[in-house]
Amino acid sequence: MEHSAAPLIRLENVSFARGPHRVLQGVSLQVHAGEFLGLVGPNGAGKTTLIQLILGLLPPASGRVLVLGEEPQRLGKKRSLIGYLPQRPLVDPHFPASVFDVVRMGRTVCRGLWRFWHREDDLAVYDTLQRLHLEGLAKRPIGELSGGQQQLVFLARALVSRPCLLLVDEPTTGLDREAQDRFYSLINTSGKESDLTVVAVSHDLSALVQHTSRMIYLNGTLEEAGPVEQERQVSPRPDLLPLTSI
């Protein structure tokens, strides 16, 4: 696929180590606007580390990372253009916050930590809940929801700042296949409606392959890359992609 515009994410020969252990070695990758990229590989392959490098939470040992044309640590106000959904957290069933409150927390990157909420923040929350078909849950305590519903609420929190880039890290762990498909379908629909670029991390190829436009295999180094249509015709490599029953 030809791309004329500059990539939203560019990694140039990136390596990273934790002590003597080399986690990533010589990874180069470009992600362009409008892509839904699936990043798959076994546990310990460096997938989460790669996301943390893109977010600027870790510095590369060598190589260069550019996001939205900048080094991640220098994004400044552009940081609000990146949505991030980490691995699914455990939620205290007694946590005293409604779905509306949790989603509105995602507006902090736009408003600032100690600023008052404005009407435009509330409108953005209602709009995002509606897009994800969650408007009926707005007043429900987050702790009362099922795991699948909670993860959709956290997705809404990541999207409420109206980012152009969304990074999700193992977002469907613990969900059944129906909930996984619904989750990724909603991301796909949202991406097409708002020209959102998505990078989704998983160790389960089958959870992603029906929804992404391109798949990347990572196991310390970049193993393979290709259009997702090719992956739908072949079996996953068992050495790279051990599937889980959820």
Side-chain angles (χ1 to χ4, degrees):
M1 183 183 297
E2 294 294 331
H3 295 280
S4 56
L8 269 63
I9 301 172
R10 182 194 296 273
L11 280 74
E12 301 174 350
N13 200 30
V14 170
S15 296
F16 182 82
R18 296 185 188 277
H21 176 55
R22 180 71 65 174
V23 180
L24 296 172
Q25 179 67 49
V27 173
S28 294
L29 174 67
Q30 294 186 11
V31 182
H32 288 81
E35 284 196 87
F36 189 153
L37 178 71
L39 181 64
V40 293
N43 291 331
K47 303 183 301 297
T48 294
T49 297
L50 191 61
I51 292 294
Q52 292 173 335
L53 288 165
I54 293 170
L55 288 168
L57 301 177
L58 296 173
S62 61
R64 192 180 188 198
V65 179
L66 295 175
V67 182
L68 306 179
E70 305 283 351
E71 294 180 356
Q73 296 85 352
R74 299 182 179 181
L75 280 169
K77 291 183 178 180
K78 284 186 178 181
R79 189 165 295 278
S80 66
L81 298 175
I82 302 174
Y84 173 49
L85 181 60
Q87 297 181 20
R88 188 159 71 94
L90 294 175
V91 177
D92 184 342
H94 305 294
F95 186 63
S98 68
V99 166
F100 182 92
D101 294 332
V102 171
V103 175
R104 191 169 58 177
M105 291 175 190
R107 295 288 294 178
T108 302
V109 295
C110 304
R111 186 65 56 200
L113 190 57
W114 305 111
R115 304 293 181 89
F116 291 108
W117 301 119
H118 289 206
R119 185 171 182 270
E120 66 183 278
D121 298 310
D122 293 347
L123 291 175
V125 173
Y126 284 121
D127 176 66
T128 305
L129 289 175
Q130 188 171 32
R131 283 165 52 198
L132 298 182
H133 311 293
L134 297 172
E135 62 270 25
L137 301 178
K139 295 181 180 180
R140 288 274 301 277
I142 184 70
E144 292 183 1
L145 304 186
S146 69
Q149 289 173 325
Q150 287 177 357
Q151 196 64 344
L152 287 174
V153 171
F154 294 130
L155 173 60
R157 184 179 64 181
L159 292 175
V160 74
S161 63
R162 295 169 179 163
C164 67
L165 174 63
L166 175 66
L167 308 174
V168 295
D169 187 2
E170 299 278 8
T172 60
T173 299
L175 304 184
D176 61 33
R177 185 45 51 87
E178 183 179 353
Q180 290 181 43
D181 285 339
R182 181 180 178 219
F183 182 88
Y184 287 122
S185 292
L186 285 170
I187 289 182
N188 222 337
T189 300
S190 182
K192 291 174 181 176
E193 290 175 350
S194 58
D195 197 26
L196 181 69
T197 302
V198 181
V199 177
V201 166
S202 180
H203 62 273
D204 187 347
L205 171 65
S206 61
L208 274 174
V209 71
Q210 297 301 320
H211 305 282
T212 54
S213 57
R214 183 160 63 107
M215 301 292 292
I216 296 292
Y217 299 95
L218 184 70
N219 193 10
T221 60
L222 199 62
E223 298 280 342
E224 298 179 26
V228 75
E229 288 80 4
Q230 297 174 10
E231 308 307 324
R232 292 178 181 143
Q233 306 302 318
V234 299
S235 298
R237 292 171 55 182
D239 60 320
L240 286 179
L241 305 170
L243 303 184
T244 59
S245 3
I246 296 174

